[in-house]
Structure formats: structure tokens, C-alpha cells
Amino acid sequence: MPDASAFRAGFVAVIGRPNVGKSTLVNALVGHKISIVTPKPQTTRHRILGIHTSADTQIIFVDTPGLHRNAGKAMNRMMNRAAINALQDADLILFMCEAGRWISDDQNAFDRATGASAPVMALLNKIDKVHPKEELLHAIAAMSARFDFVEVIPVSARQHDNLDRLMAAIPKYLPESAPLFPEEMFTDRSESFRVAELVREQLTLNLRQEIPYGLTVQIEQFDKQDEGVDVRAVIWVERDSQKGIVVGKGGSILKKVGRAVRLELKRQLGRPVHIELWVKVKENWADNEEQLQRLGYDPG
Ligand code: GDP
Ligand code: MG
């Protein structure tokens, strides 16, 4: 057994603008799909913990909604708040951007990350897209000049490139502490939360640009038995006109979404899955604090 006093445990907040690859990174580091990923910004709406426990360290990654400046509706404000709260509680901040790309939302997230009190490490993600490779040296130099980062590490979250270097760099910034979560636990979120997220991931992948932002998913039934899992989920949309779009011609979208979620869940849970999806209207749910809380949104 390792010496208990030498064990380290702490919170590592992953911060950056929408779509830089935060959730992809946390999934890769934890080795489980705890957070959904799509090519669209603002996919992650909640603060989600991804826990990695080894013989002498427990790293608690905090996946956050991307910090963005255009925070109109209550839900968007809450998403920003969740990210900001994660910064305040962090022992270490991983500020993520795309290698060689810098837009105004990056600057906003950078200002927040570097304004917090914890040490900040910079991650330049998506290095698989950088050609020629000398460009990367410029990107690292430019990043290092922006702030006194404790490290600047180029990675590819999607291709698992350089993640071992990142993992090796983290423990020394964590306090000595006993583990904060049981060692077999890899997320703080329930299975039914993850199912709702998988439904939203498939909807986001299968619907036109703006529709996914107006919907949320609520699990009405999650019955897990040895012989199978029974799920009933409601997809809430903001307006009646969105209902038909989400259902699709002859139910085509719902069928496609249901099938994809069923296969993914079967893979994750190792048993057959039956899933029922319903679409209902709740006007302006995304701009109503009370509705948001009832639907499981909290500022983390
Ligand atoms: P988040 O909004 O910051 O959580 O970003 P996601 O993890 O949802 O990823 C956004 C998009 O970037 C998805 O399409 C990912 O597949 C893609 N992505 C993430 N990491 C990488 C990477 O290392 N390389 C490339 N090429 N794409 C990536
Ligand atoms: Mg995300």
C-alpha cells in the first residue's frame, strides 16, 4: 500500500471556449465516455466530473460548458456560471485552445482562467490538424508569451497524442490528500443522466444547426435489470413548430436517434436496451430559472 500521507487528490478544471475539445480530452483521460461530444459548440451544458484514480493520485477532472460571451438566455448564463464556479474550486486549471487558432471567445476564456488563483497549464489541442509541424513551435512560443503558464503542452485529445505527458505533469499541483471519491468511481453523474446526454448527443448530431440548442432531455423512466434496460425519455422543445422537426418525416429522426442510443447503451451496459422517446413542448424552458432547475440544470 502506498503511504497515505503521500497520496495526492484534487480538482483540475478544464476551461476553454466552446468546441476546443474539452469533453473529448476528459473522456480520453478517464477512459470512459462520461461527456458527450459533437462538432457543434455548446454541447456540454453541465459541470461533469471525470475521476482518474491511480496508486498514488486521484485526479478529478472538471469538464465544463465552454465559456462564451454571448450569454443571452438563463441556460447560457448558467453554463457560464458553472464554468466560473469550477475555476474557483480548482487546484489546477487546464486552459485549452486550438493550436494556432485564437478568436475572441478564446480571449474571454483566457481572461477568466488566468484571473483565477490556481496555477494554469495551457493545452494546445488538435495538433493533428497543424501542418507543417514547425507551425506548432510558433504556436507554443506565442502561447508561452501570453502568460506565465506552469506548462504549455501540445496535445491531440482525439488521437490521444501526448496525453501521457499531460498526465505526468498534473500530480505535483495537487495537494496531499486522501482520495475524495471511491477508487472505482469515474464520474459523479448517474447512469440516467448519462442516458439523457446520449439522447441529446444524437439529437445534436442529427438535427440542423439551431434546433439542438432549443431542446433538453428528461428521463422519465430508467429501469435497469440483469436481463435488460428500459428507458423512457421526454425531449422538451421550446415551440410547437420544433416538434415535427425533431420527430422527422414519418418519425425518421426519432428512430435514428433511438437506434443509436440503444446501441451505445448496450455497448456500455452489456445488456439489451429498450428505449422510448417522446417529444413535448415547454415554452421557453431555456429562459426560465425555475424550469431549468426542475429539468436538472444547476450552476454547479
Ligand atoms: P468541447 O466543446 O470543448 O467540449 O469540445 P468537444 O470535446 O465536444 O469537441 C468538439 C469537436 O472537436 C468534436 O467534433 C471533436 O471530435 C473535435 N476534437 C476534439 N479534440 C480533437 C483533436 O484533438 N483533433 C481534432 N481534429 N478534432 C478534435
Ligand atoms: Mg464539451
Side-chain angles (χ1 to χ4, degrees), residues 28-56:
L29 295 177
V30 172
H32 291 274
K33 178 162 178 166
I34 58 156
S35 211
I36 60 171
V37 169
T38 82
K40 291 175 190 164
Q42 302 187 31
T43 298
T44 307
R45 291 178 178 171
H46 305 264
R47 195 193 69 151
I48 297 174
L49 302 185
I51 305 163
H52 183 281
T53 307
S54 62
D56 53 9

Side-chain angles (χ1 to χ4, degrees), residues 18-24 37-39 125-126 128-129 156-158:
N19 227 24
V20 285
K22 299 178 293 301
S23 299
T24 306
V37 169
T38 82
N125 191 29
K126 310 197 184 182
D128 53 290
K129 294 208 296 195
S156 170
R158 191 195 268 177

Side-chain angles (χ1 to χ4, degrees), residues 44-155:
T44 307
R45 291 178 178 171
H46 305 264
R47 195 193 69 151
I48 297 174
L49 302 185
I51 305 163
H52 183 281
T53 307
S54 62
D56 53 9
T57 316
Q58 181 168 75
I59 309 174
I60 303 153
F61 294 99
V62 188
D63 188 16
T64 61
L67 275 166
H68 54 289
R69 290 194 304 176
N70 182 11
K73 289 186 176 175
M75 182 176 68
N76 296 79
R77 289 196 297 276
M78 198 145 63
M79 285 160 66
N80 270 344
R81 220 149 58 216
I84 290 163
N85 289 351
L87 280 171
Q88 284 163 356
D89 298 339
D91 297 298
L92 173 69
I93 295 165
L94 303 182
F95 168 70
M96 184 183 253
C97 62
E98 281 184 36
R101 183 150 183 248
W102 190 264
I103 61 176
S104 64
D105 269 345
D106 288 305
Q107 184 66 42
N108 177 44
F110 168 86
D111 291 340
R112 292 285 191 176
T114 56
S117 55
V120 186
M121 203 180 276
L123 301 184
L124 302 177
N125 191 29
K126 310 197 184 182
I127 57 172
D128 53 290
K129 294 208 296 195
V130 178
H131 306 286
K133 285 297 161 200
E134 296 81 69
E135 288 289 322
L136 199 52
L137 297 178
H138 295 301
I140 294 169
M143 203 58 192
S144 305
R146 279 185 203 278
F147 183 74
D148 194 11
F149 292 110
V150 293
E151 308 244 4
V152 177
I153 304 182
V155 296

